[in-house]
């Protein structure tokens, strides 16, 4: 087993050496003629390029592969510090805020062979190189590999292989043909809390084998449809299923704001996001945590083939490394950046890819499959793509100045590019697996897993000696590296100096000739020489985007005022810490006027229907207006130009703030009318109206459905006690939304019939209703129907029927039972939602509520006076109820 693991690694290393040799030659040829600082001979090791615009104020940390030393260099390529270890890196290295170095080491034990990325041991050094903590994480089933990560709480997150036997893997659904040896490696994340100098406790962990799916054997666990369960990982998918290192995760990053972890999965060409807010028990399950998904994947991206939702044409990642979130406040903050190695790409080249994950609801992700996005937010690749290709390892980092630091790991090449993709800094690692190389030699065997930039204000550097201690490369050619000492120059102001006609809330911006960063101080705003606002540079109201600074005042400016701003000299700096010159208030002031003329409303209203064909058009402005010198009003009918009116036309009349437009001819019936108004009007300050573009003022002369027959007829007499109610329109109708037809007897609601219920029926142009019970003899019956419950086939709503528009009288009979009723008793509202008020001209003694079957219902009655009571029903359904007052009077109530 160990021989097979080692053989695979040796085959990978042979590939790396081939790639390394070709790219070293290309790099040498490309750098032979291009240098940007003083030199005596052409450098091939150490600092290669240093242009204005690089992130000057900081240091770069790196650990060459197979080398026991970690180096810290400045931007001139000079060594400022180093740490020595007894082990080669395995593989990542971090500098902690307390000045300690946290480094994964390659443990000499061979439990996991010589697999690429193997570590197994973690050490923490103080600034002076003393080991203050060490921890072994390698045994028969677990081995730390590739990456570790210091957590904000002081813990250490560790990426580890988890090895299981062939028999267990098959029991979990792994196909028997998908093995190269008799074991399978998955991935585990383990959060350690360091204790003492050589111990730790596990406080949280997540294991991939708890979140797998397979679709080959229904009798085994985890069986399911892969394409319907992207939150699980198909145990039978990888680019090379024969390898025991199934996933070969090669890095991860933690987002404290989201409490989530992103993992780079090399052998699937995917990145995964999991929830860290779970407990360890929840992380083994499918529920719990902020997203209630347990340890299942919250999001994955890069290769939809992995969950059977795409083809090879939709693959975006090609055995990538170093997936990470871009920090808050940086360019593209919140996005995810990866070093997309390009291994298996149609053309072999590397790229730095940034995506904007589809975050929703704070910490969840859009579930559209394949997972979004379809396009990149930003990408860097060489202008000749194949000139930049690192098949394995490598990393990248977004810097505070908006630039991107790139480690092309196979070539040991670090370089920094601007957002516009210009290379402004470059360094070639002079450390090989065998020795330190001479300047002028071809760089070879100088692989680096990753490099990291730390700004000079990083807490680790406080009170530390960071003086230059020479070059790492041997026999370095003489060169002079002078950090940028030219301050950014102001390129433009918005609003500009002495600008007039500025609106009360303008866009306020300063544009410089290079990228700037925030420093300290306050920007002051004066209105008519009086201070009205002082904005802290560090606040969210000062937004820096590369070379543009946008100011967002809280207070709006008054009309017809002079506005001036002052910016202190220490407000902004460039990456080399050169301060921007101060801006005095006398050098930046402008004048405000009233904003553009605002429209209050129009008639007919936008999107209104059933408009008279002879209707006049009206515009109502917020201020009095006059006609502009030019302008045009266009009238469209069914999307065809019907008429154009010059603003000088006498068909356009103005009365103060009201403009009346009289079309030359009526509109057609059943037509869609659209009005287009140019900048035709202005106020007394000359501010023009905002034009109304075509499609933003539309109405229709379409007629609403008309009632042609009511049954029983309106004002009919001697109607039978059980009539079928029906309404017939002039066209076919349908139910548009649920609602009730209300039936009243002598002013009291007695029935509510849902237009979409079993007691109503539509046949063509007619809707009919069946009553719940017979009407009373000699009753005056009125019907009420809400608007917009019915519509024609074109979607035009039917108008409402008011209770005064449909009235009829039932048969009169001497056998009519007379219920006592006091005309001076009133209830409001009626209908109601179960809470109402009763007023009476006689004292209220008793109140009882009965349903339609005579059952006594519960109610609460509160007397506000002897003659008025506030009544509330509880747990009661909608319907017709009878309220009995003083055991004498009855009143019908409709509760909805």
């Amino acid at each position: 087993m160990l021989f097979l693991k080692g053989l695979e690694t040796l085959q990978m290393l042979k590939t790396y050496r081939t790639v390394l040799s070709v790219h070293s030659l290309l790099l040498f040829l490309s750098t032979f003629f291009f240098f940007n600082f003083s030199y005596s001979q052409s450098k091939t090791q150490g600092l290669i390029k240093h242009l204005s615009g690089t992130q000057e104020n900081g240091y770069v940390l790196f650990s060459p592969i197979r080398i026991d030393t970690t180096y810290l260099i400045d931007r001139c390529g000079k060594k400022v510090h180093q740490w020595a270890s007894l082990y080669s890196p395995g593989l990542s290295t971090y500098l902690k805020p307390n000045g300690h170095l946290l480094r994964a080491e390659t443990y000499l034990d061979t439990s996991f062979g010589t697999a690429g990325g193997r570590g197994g041991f973690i050490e923490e050094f103080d600034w002076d190189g003393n080991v203050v903590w060490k921890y072994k994480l390698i045994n028969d089933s677990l081995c730390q590999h590739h990456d570790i990560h210091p957590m904000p709480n002081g813990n250490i997150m560790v990426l580890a292989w988890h090895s299981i036997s062939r028999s267990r893997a098959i029991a979990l659904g792994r196909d028997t043909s998908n093995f190269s040896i008799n074991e399978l490696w998955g991935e585990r994340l383990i959060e350690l809390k360091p204790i003492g100098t050589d111990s730790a406790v596990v406080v949280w962990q997540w294991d991939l084998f708890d979140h797998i799916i397979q679709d080959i054997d229904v009798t085994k666990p985890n069986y399911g449809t892969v394409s319907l369960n992207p939150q699980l990982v198909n145990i039978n998918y990888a680019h090379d299923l024969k390898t025991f290192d199934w996933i070969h995760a090669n890095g991860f990053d933690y987002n404290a704001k989201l409490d989530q972890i992103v993992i780079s999965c090399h052998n699937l060409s995917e990145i995964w996001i999991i929830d860290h807010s779970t407990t360890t028990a929840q992380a083994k399950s499918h529920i719990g945590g902020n997203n209630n998904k347990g340890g299942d994947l919250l999001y994955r991206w890069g290769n939809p083939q992995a969950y059977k939702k795409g083809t090879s044409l939709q693959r975006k990642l090609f055995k990538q490394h170093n997936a990470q979130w871009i920090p808050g406040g940086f360019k593209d903050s919140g996005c995810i950046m990866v070093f997309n190695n390009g291994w298996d790409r149609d053309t072999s080249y590397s790229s730095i890819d940034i995506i904007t994950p589809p975050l929703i609801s704070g910490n969840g992700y859009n579930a559209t499959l394949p997972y979004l996005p379809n396009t990149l937010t930003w990408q860097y690749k060489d202008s000749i793509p194949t000139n930049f290709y690192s098949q394995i390892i490598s990393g990248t980092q977004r810097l505070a100045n908006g630039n991107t630091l790139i480690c092309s790991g196979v070539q040991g090449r670090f370089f920094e590019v601007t957002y516009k993709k210009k290379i402004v800094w470059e360094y070639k690692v002079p450390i090989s697996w065998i020795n330190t190389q001479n300047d002028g030699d071809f760089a070879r065997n100088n692989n680096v897993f990753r490099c990291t930039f730390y700004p000079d204000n990083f807490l680790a550097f406080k009170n530390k000696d960071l003086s230059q201690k020479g070059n790492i490369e041997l026999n370095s050619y003489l060169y002079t590296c002078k950090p940028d000492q030219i301050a950014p120059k102001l390129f433009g102001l918005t609003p500009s100096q002495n600008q007039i006609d500025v609106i009360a809330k303008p866009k306020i911006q300063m544009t410089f000739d290079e990228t700037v960063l925030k420093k300290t101080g306050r920007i002051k705003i004066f209105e008519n020489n009086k201070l009205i606002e002082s904005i802290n540079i560090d606040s969210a109201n000062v937004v820096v985007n590369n070379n543009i600074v946008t100011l967002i005042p809280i207070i709006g400016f008054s009309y017809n005022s002079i506005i001036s701003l002052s910016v202190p000299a220490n407000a902004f700096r460039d990456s080399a810490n050169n301060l921007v010159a101060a801006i005095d208030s006398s050098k930046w002031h402008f004048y405000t006027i009233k904003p553009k003329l605002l429209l209050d409303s129009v008639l007919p209203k936008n999107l209104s229907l059933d408009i008279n064909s002879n209707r006049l058009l009206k515009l109502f402005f917020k201020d009095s207006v006059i006609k502009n010198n030019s302008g045009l009003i266009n009238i469209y009918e069914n999307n065809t130009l019907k008429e154009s009116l010059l603003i000088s036309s006498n068909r356009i009349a103005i009365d103060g703030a009201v403009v009346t437009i009289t079309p030359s001819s009526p509109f057609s019936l059943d037509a869609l009318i659209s009005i287009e108004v140019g900048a035709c009007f202005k106020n007394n300050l000359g501010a023009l109206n905002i034009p109304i573009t075509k499609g933003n003022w539309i109405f229709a002369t379409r007629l609403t459905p008309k009632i042609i027959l009511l049954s029983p007829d309106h004002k009919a007499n001697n109607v039978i006690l059980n009539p079928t109610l029906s309404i017939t329109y002039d066209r076919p109708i349908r139910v548009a939304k649920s609602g009730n037809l209300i039936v009243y007897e002598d002013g009291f609601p007695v029935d509510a019939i849902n237009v979409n219920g079993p007691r109503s029926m539509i046949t063509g142009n007619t809707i009919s209703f069946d009553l719940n019970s017979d009407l009373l003899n000699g009753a005056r019956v009125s019907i009420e129907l809400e608007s917009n419950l019915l519509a024609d086939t074109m979607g035009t709503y039917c108008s409402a029927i008011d209770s005064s528009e449909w009235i009829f009288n039932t048969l009169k009979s001497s056998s009519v039972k007379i219920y006592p009723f006091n005309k001076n008793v009133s209830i409001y509202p009626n209908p109601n939602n179960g809470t109402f008020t009763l007023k009476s001209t006689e004292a209220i003694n008793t109140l009882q509520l009965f349903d339609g079957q005579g059952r006594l219902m519960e109610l609460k009655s509160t007397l506000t006076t002897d003659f008025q009571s506030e009544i509330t029903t509880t747990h009661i359904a909608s319907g017709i109820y009878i309220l009995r007052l003083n055991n004498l009077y009855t009143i019908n109530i409709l509760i909805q």
Side-chain angles (χ1 to χ4, degrees), residues 859-870:
L859 62 78
K860 178 180 178 182
S861 175
T862 303
L863 288 174
T864 56
T865 69
D866 289 342
F867 305 97
Q868 178 174 312
S869 179
E870 301 294 333

Side-chain angles (χ1 to χ4, degrees), residues 106 169 302 374 419 491 503 612 651 668 710:
T106 302
N374 294 320
Y419 204 73
F491 185 76
I503 62 174
N612 188 292
R651 291 184 175 275
S668 301
L710 294 172

Side-chain angles (χ1 to χ4, degrees), residues 32-309:
F32 189 84
F33 300 103
F34 298 96
F35 294 92
N36 54 282
F37 50 92
S38 300
Y39 61 93
S40 58
Q41 292 173 284
S42 298
K43 288 181 62 61
T44 62
Q45 308 282 350
L47 187 64
I48 304 296
K49 179 177 289 189
H50 189 290
L51 295 176
S52 175
T54 186
Q55 179 84 35
E56 295 278 8
N57 54 325
Y59 306 92
V60 178
L61 182 78
F62 64 95
S63 293
I65 289 178
R66 282 193 166 187
I67 301 300
D68 60 6
T69 303
T70 299
Y71 296 92
L72 188 68
I73 62 171
D74 66 14
R75 301 301 258 165
C76 283
K78 303 293 184 178
K79 180 177 65 175
V80 298
H81 200 67
Q82 68 181 49
W83 294 261
S85 171
L86 297 176
Y87 307 90
S88 58
L91 287 167
S92 61
T93 304
Y94 293 90
L95 193 57
K96 297 175 66 176
N98 63 358
H100 288 192
L101 181 78
L102 189 66
R103 178 173 143 135
E105 312 281 20
T106 302
Y107 193 63
L108 300 181
D109 187 301
T110 57
S111 299
F112 276 71
T114 56
R118 183 176 64 88
F121 195 57
I122 307 169
E123 286 188 312
E124 183 173 336
F125 302 84
D126 65 16
W127 184 263
D128 297 323
N130 303 305
V131 176
V132 296
W133 181 78
K134 57 184 178 180
Y135 187 77
K136 175 186 173 184
L137 187 56
I138 184 169
N139 53 44
D140 289 342
S141 64
L142 289 175
C143 178
Q144 176 274 323
H145 69 96
H146 282 91
D147 207 0
I148 57 177
H149 203 290
M151 302 290 281
N153 59 5
N155 295 342
I156 300 169
M157 190 72 73
V158 180
L159 179 64
W161 283 311
H162 177 200
S163 174
I164 62 174
S165 66
R166 174 188 174 97
S167 60
R168 184 184 171 196
I170 293 173
L172 289 174
R174 180 82 168 185
D175 192 290
T176 56
S177 65
N178 293 336
F179 290 90
S180 61
I181 58 175
N182 289 325
E183 60 184 67
L184 181 67
W185 298 359
E187 301 290 349
R188 180 177 288 185
L189 283 169
I190 304 169
E191 185 173 351
L192 299 173
K193 180 179 181 180
I195 296 177
T197 59
D198 60 358
S199 301
V201 294
V202 176
V203 297
W204 181 87
Q205 68 179 11
W206 172 90
D207 198 293
L208 172 60
F209 286 125
D210 295 324
H211 305 281
I212 59 174
I213 189 170
Q214 55 90 14
D215 58 2
I216 65 170
D217 191 339
V218 69
T219 66
K220 291 179 179 176
N222 312 313
Y223 179 81
T225 304
V226 172
S227 62
L228 297 179
N229 293 277
Q231 76 281 7
L232 303 174
V233 180
N234 183 4
I235 197 171
N236 291 301
Y237 178 82
H239 295 309
D240 178 10
L241 280 167
K242 293 294 185 181
T243 180
F244 47 86
D245 186 4
W246 168 34
I247 303 297
H248 193 79
N250 52 35
F252 68 95
D253 187 34
Y254 174 68
N255 187 316
K257 180 179 179 181
L258 299 176
D259 204 4
Q260 295 174 3
I261 297 170
V262 60
I263 309 170
S264 172
C265 305
H266 177 273
N267 285 353
L268 272 64
S269 289
E270 276 196 303
I271 58 171
W272 300 339
I273 293 180
I274 63 171
D275 196 345
H276 176 258
S277 69
T278 59
T279 63
T280 295
Q282 290 170 336
K284 290 175 63 68
S285 73
H286 310 292
I287 59 174
N290 291 336
N291 286 275
N292 199 32
K293 293 187 177 181
D296 289 348
L297 306 189
L298 303 179
Y299 174 72
R300 61 199 302 183
W301 188 84
N303 180 20
Q305 289 177 292
Y307 49 98
K308 297 188 176 181
K309 272 293 184 180

Side-chain angles (χ1 to χ4, degrees), residues 10 35 63-64 119 125 147-148 159 174-175 196 238 287 316 398 470 528 530 596 677 691 698 725 745:
L10 288 174
F35 294 92
S63 293
F125 302 84
D147 207 0
I148 57 177
L159 179 64
R174 180 82 168 185
D175 192 290
I287 59 174
K316 307 292 186 183
R398 176 53 54 83
N528 299 324
K530 179 182 178 180
K596 286 187 177 181
V677 181
I698 301 174
L725 309 177
E745 282 182 343

